[in-house]
């Protein structure tokens, strides 16, 4: 979309209050990739995340916030405020859609919508949205497309211009490079645009596979996970209770549920230490226990490094005297992943775990731990696949510091929140004819106190996995042929007691609502641009 078209679009859809830069906070939106609900210290983890823990202590933690269960649907929803199917960023039958789908013209990204309020927008890290960052309204961008090589990416871009490949053996590390660009963008902003608010979208590629981490970070955790996944999961669950999280039963481990996609050749390449089921730790061989403990050490190291690099970005914001007036949001694009595969440069069994020549994935044993206390993993829309941490920190706008918020929310709410924050109201009467009203709700009321948001439901669909939540009731089905299940999340958020047979009227009503929304969103996706 050209710059002229972006501005024309904003003039069509946005009714903008008079711009007063001081009244509009800066925004730092941080997205992790494949990070599980319990992977942060402030959500129950043993992993060192002091900077994120400090943001939580000075802000809010949301206990019932949701993503879309997969990378590209979440990112499309996050930056537009629509469900991914509405904007063709998840599969809609009969429409070019999914991970290669192109958004309709009426669904621009947040930088375009924020421009009339004077925001400068910066992107650093993963993209996984259609088009390119600068073409979508960002003023600066570092796009790390090659996610299979944390140490030597072959494909990455600066300001939509392809950069040379990074050879092996340099000091490059993806998480650090992403933070470096964010810091450079903010420094330039402070120098050239000191009176304008900024929107920094910081999209880390970690801890997505391959499990690649710096040796000094891995060393911190080398012995930590030898006690096994049952023990670590129990410790995380106990810590969540100590932190005041809602009373939730620890879900049963689904011992026969492995990765969502089979890659049998990968299992051969990875060797006898790999297992593709969350078997009891005591049932593993010594070789398997050592292999699995090493994998989790690398996963932990990747998250530790996210926190370290985020700390440098926060220091840059403090050096600009902007920390008090910056809203910081941190979340993950889906639950932790049970996938096991080998891609990119392959896996050398003799290479050190976490090094450039290795290619390891977390797998279902440890992703069950990362998603504590919930069921299932990335791609499913049971709670383990869609529940994300959400930390909100804003000294000038959040007084109830260190509190928990239990009101359900969804990534579709982020755009609505930021637009209200920027004092931009999209007028339904002035929208393009094809544009539906965005389904997201602003979270700003929750910054003051926990309260219900006026919404009909929350909805999910991905690769046949289906779900809908209305109030405390949730229907969910695994796969196109999967039977619908019904849960009351008020007392069974870990989805252990299926009420489908006992409450058939509720099941029928909610399934009908899911189907109605599916038809509505598919119809929207099929409309001409």
């Amino acid at each position: 979309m050209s710059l002229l078209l972006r501005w024309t679009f904003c003039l069509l859809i946005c009714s903008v209050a008079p711009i007063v830069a001081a009244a509009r906070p800066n925004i730092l939106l941080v997205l992790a990739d494949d990070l599980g609900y319990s992977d942060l210290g402030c959500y129950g983890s043993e992993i060192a995340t002091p900077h994120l823990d400090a943001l939580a202590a000075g802000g809010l933690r949301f206990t019932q916030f949701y993503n879309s269960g997969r990378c590209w649907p979440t990112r499309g929803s996050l930056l537009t405020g629509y469900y991914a199917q509405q904007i063709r960023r998840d599969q809609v039958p009969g429409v070019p859609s999914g991970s290669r789908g192109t958004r309709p013209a009426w669904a621009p990204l947040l930088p375009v919508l924020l421009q009339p309020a004077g925001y400068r927008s910066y992107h650093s890290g993963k993209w996984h949205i259609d088009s390119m960052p600068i073409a979508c309204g960002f003023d600066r961008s570092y796009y790390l497309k090659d996610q299979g090589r944390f140490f030597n990416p072959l494909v990455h871009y600066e300001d939509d211009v392809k950069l040379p490949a990074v050879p092996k053996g340099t000091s490059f590390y993806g998480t650090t490079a992403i933070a470096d660009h964010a810091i450079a963008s903010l420094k330039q902003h402070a120098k050239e645009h000191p009176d304008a608010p900024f929107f920094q979208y910081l999209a880390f590629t970690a801890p997505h596979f391959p499990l690649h981490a710096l040796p000094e970070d891995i060393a911190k955790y080398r012995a930590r996970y030898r006690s096994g996944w049952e023990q670590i999961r129990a410790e995380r669950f106990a810590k969540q209770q100590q932190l005041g999280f809602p009373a939730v039963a620890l879900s049963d481990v689904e011992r026969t549920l492995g990765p969502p996609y089979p890659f049998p050749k990968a299992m051969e390449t990875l060797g006898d230490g790999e297992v593709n089921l969350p078997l009891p730790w005591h049932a593993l061989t010594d070789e398997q226990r050592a292999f699995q403990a090493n994998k989790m050490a690398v996963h932990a190291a990747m998250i530790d490094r996210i926190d370290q690099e985020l700390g440098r970005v926060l220091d840059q914001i403090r050096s600009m005297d902007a920390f008090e007036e910056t809203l910081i949001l941190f979340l993950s694009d889906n639950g932790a992943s049970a996938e096991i595969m080998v891609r990119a440069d392959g896996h050398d069994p003799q290479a050190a775990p976490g090094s450039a020549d290795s290619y390891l994935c977390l797998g279902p044993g440890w992703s069950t731990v990362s998603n504590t206390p919930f069921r299932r993993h990335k791609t499913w829309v049971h709670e383990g696949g869609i529940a994300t941490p959400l930390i909100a920190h804003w000294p000038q706008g959040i007084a109830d510091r260190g509190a928990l918020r239990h009101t359900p929310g969804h990534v579709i709410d982020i755009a609505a929140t930021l637009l209200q924050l920027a004092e931009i109201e999209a007028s339904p009467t002035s929208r393009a004819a094809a544009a539906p009203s965005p389904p997201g709700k602003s979270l700003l009321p929750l910054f003051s106190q926990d309260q219900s948001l006026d919404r009909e439901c929350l909805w999910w669909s991905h690769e046949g996995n289906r779900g809908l939540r209305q109030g405390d009731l949730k229907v969910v089905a695994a796969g196109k042929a999967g039977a619908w299940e019904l849960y009351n999340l008020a007392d069974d958020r870990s989805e252990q007691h299926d009420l489908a047979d006992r409450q058939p009227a509720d099941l029928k009503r909610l399934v009908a609502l899911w189907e109605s929304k599916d038809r509505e969103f598919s119809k929207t996706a099929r409309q001409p641009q």
Side-chain angles (χ1 to χ4, degrees):
M1 190 185 293
S2 69
L3 181 60
L4 176 60
L5 183 57
R6 292 199 303 267
W7 275 102
T8 301
F9 181 85
C10 282
L11 291 173
L12 281 172
I13 72 164
C14 296
S15 172
V16 184
I19 295 174
V20 181
R24 291 183 168 89
N26 306 303
I27 301 162
L28 173 61
L29 176 59
V30 187
L31 187 66
D33 197 342
D34 286 12
L35 179 133
Y37 183 80
S38 73
D39 270 337
L40 306 180
C42 53
Y43 275 79
S45 177
E46 67 295 330
I47 301 170
T49 55
H51 298 290
L52 285 162
D53 296 352
L55 292 177
L60 302 172
R61 278 167 295 166
F62 288 71
T63 64
Q64 298 197 73
F65 206 78
Y66 292 107
N67 49 50
S68 297
R70 195 73 178 275
C71 308
W72 58 90
T74 289
R75 290 160 204 275
S77 293
L78 183 71
L79 294 185
T80 66
Y82 289 98
Y83 285 109
Q85 280 76 6
Q86 292 178 285
I87 58 171
R88 307 171 185 165
R89 290 299 296 162
D90 207 347
Q91 199 62 44
V92 177
V95 181
S97 54
S99 62
R100 292 178 174 83
T102 301
R103 287 169 295 115
W106 51 257
L109 303 186
L110 271 170
V112 173
L113 298 175
L114 291 170
Q115 280 175 351
Y119 279 82
R120 301 276 301 176
S121 294
Y122 310 108
H123 158 260
S124 306
K126 187 172 177 175
W127 185 240
H128 222 161
I129 307 173
D130 56 298
S131 190
M132 294 286 281
I134 300 298
C136 289
F138 284 96
D139 296 291
R140 296 298 313 275
S141 168
Y142 173 62
Y143 170 15
L144 182 54
K145 185 174 183 179
D146 185 355
Q147 198 164 330
R149 301 171 178 88
F150 276 80
F151 294 102
N152 57 299
L154 303 183
V155 184
H156 55 155
Y157 301 82
E158 184 172 17
D159 297 340
D160 292 2
V161 177
K162 192 173 182 181
L163 297 170
V166 177
K168 286 187 177 181
T170 72
S171 61
F172 183 96
Y173 182 65
T175 305
T176 302
I178 291 168
D180 284 344
H181 181 267
I183 292 167
S185 297
L186 293 173
K187 285 182 177 179
Q188 182 181 17
H189 180 90
K191 181 179 179 181
E192 299 179 8
H193 308 281
D195 297 325
F198 65 77
F199 169 50
Q200 170 68 63
Y201 175 44
L202 181 57
F204 288 114
T205 55
H208 191 288
F209 58 82
L211 301 179
H212 282 171
L214 297 171
E216 61 267 30
D217 295 335
I218 298 173
K220 300 179 188 178
Y221 301 95
R222 196 174 306 281
R224 182 65 179 86
Y225 297 104
R226 293 174 184 170
S227 58
W229 39 57
E230 289 102 346
Q231 179 64 32
I232 301 299
R233 189 171 187 242
E235 291 172 2
R236 289 193 177 191
F237 182 65
K239 185 177 178 181
Q240 287 174 339
Q241 306 311 299
Q242 295 168 3
L243 291 170
F245 279 62
V248 176
L250 184 63
S251 64
D252 293 336
V253 177
E254 297 182 81
R255 299 291 187 189
T256 61
L257 183 68
Y261 319 107
F263 288 95
K265 290 186 178 180
M267 294 296 294
E268 295 177 15
T269 300
L270 293 166
D272 294 337
E274 187 59 281
V275 290
N276 61 1
L277 292 173
L279 302 173
W281 190 257
H282 67 78
L284 303 183
T285 67
D286 289 345
E287 180 183 2
Q288 288 170 336
R289 285 194 289 266
F291 188 92
Q292 299 301 319
N294 285 336
K295 286 203 307 179
M296 188 60 188
V298 182
H299 178 78
M302 296 173 80
I303 295 168
D304 187 311
R305 178 54 58 172
I306 286 176
D307 189 82
Q308 293 181 55
E309 300 300 343
L310 177 59
R312 293 201 300 124
V313 176
L314 299 180
D315 284 343
Q316 171 59 33
I317 294 173
R318 291 187 183 98
S319 75
M320 298 159 62
D321 293 325
F323 190 70
E324 295 292 312
E325 59 198 52
T326 298
L327 170 64
I328 302 167
L329 299 172
F330 179 95
L331 69 163
S332 178
D333 64 349
N334 44 250
S337 174
E339 296 162 290
I340 297 177
M341 62 186 71
V342 176
R343 292 176 171 171
D345 295 330
H347 174 71
D348 178 358
Q350 304 306 314
S355 66
D357 292 325
S358 68
Y359 198 105
L360 303 174
C361 299
L362 193 59
W366 288 117
S367 62
T368 298
V369 174
S370 291
N371 296 330
T372 302
F374 305 129
R375 280 181 64 193
R376 302 216 166 186
H377 323 271
K378 170 185 175 180
T379 75
W380 283 280
V381 299
H382 287 74
E383 295 291 288
I386 57 177
T388 175
L390 174 65
I391 298 171
H393 183 276
W394 181 24
Q396 287 188 351
I398 296 175
D400 193 11
R401 300 179 183 180
L404 300 176
R405 291 290 184 262
H406 308 303
T407 302
H410 191 285
V411 289
I412 57 171
D413 300 331
I414 298 297
T417 304
L418 300 185
L419 292 177
Q420 183 180 0
L421 198 70
E423 301 176 8
I424 295 176
E425 295 183 6
S427 169
T429 59
S430 63
R431 281 184 174 273
S437 297
K441 303 292 182 180
S442 173
L443 302 173
L444 288 189
L446 303 181
F447 287 5
S448 299
Q449 61 180 356
D450 220 355
Q451 56 187 286
S452 62
L453 297 176
D454 182 20
R455 72 164 94 236
E456 183 180 16
C457 63
L458 293 172
W459 183 89
W460 292 270
S461 178
H462 183 66
E463 294 192 344
N465 299 312
R466 295 150 286 150
L468 180 139
R469 176 171 178 168
Q470 185 177 63
D472 289 325
L473 290 180
K474 178 185 175 185
V475 287
V476 62
K480 294 178 180 179
W484 284 102
E485 305 161 14
L486 173 67
Y487 299 99
N488 186 334
L489 301 188
D491 54 22
D492 184 25
R493 189 152 176 232
S494 52
E495 299 170 318
Q496 298 299 287
H497 305 289
D498 185 3
L499 304 175
D501 291 338
R502 281 176 277 176
Q503 296 178 212
D506 287 324
L507 179 73
K508 182 178 180 180
R509 175 176 58 83
L510 294 180
V511 169
L513 181 56
W514 185 93
E515 292 172 343
S516 173
K517 293 297 179 183
D518 186 48
R519 289 191 297 270
E520 175 190 338
F521 298 156
S522 296
K523 181 179 179 180
T524 300
R526 292 188 180 97
Q527 291 178 1
Q529 297 204 34

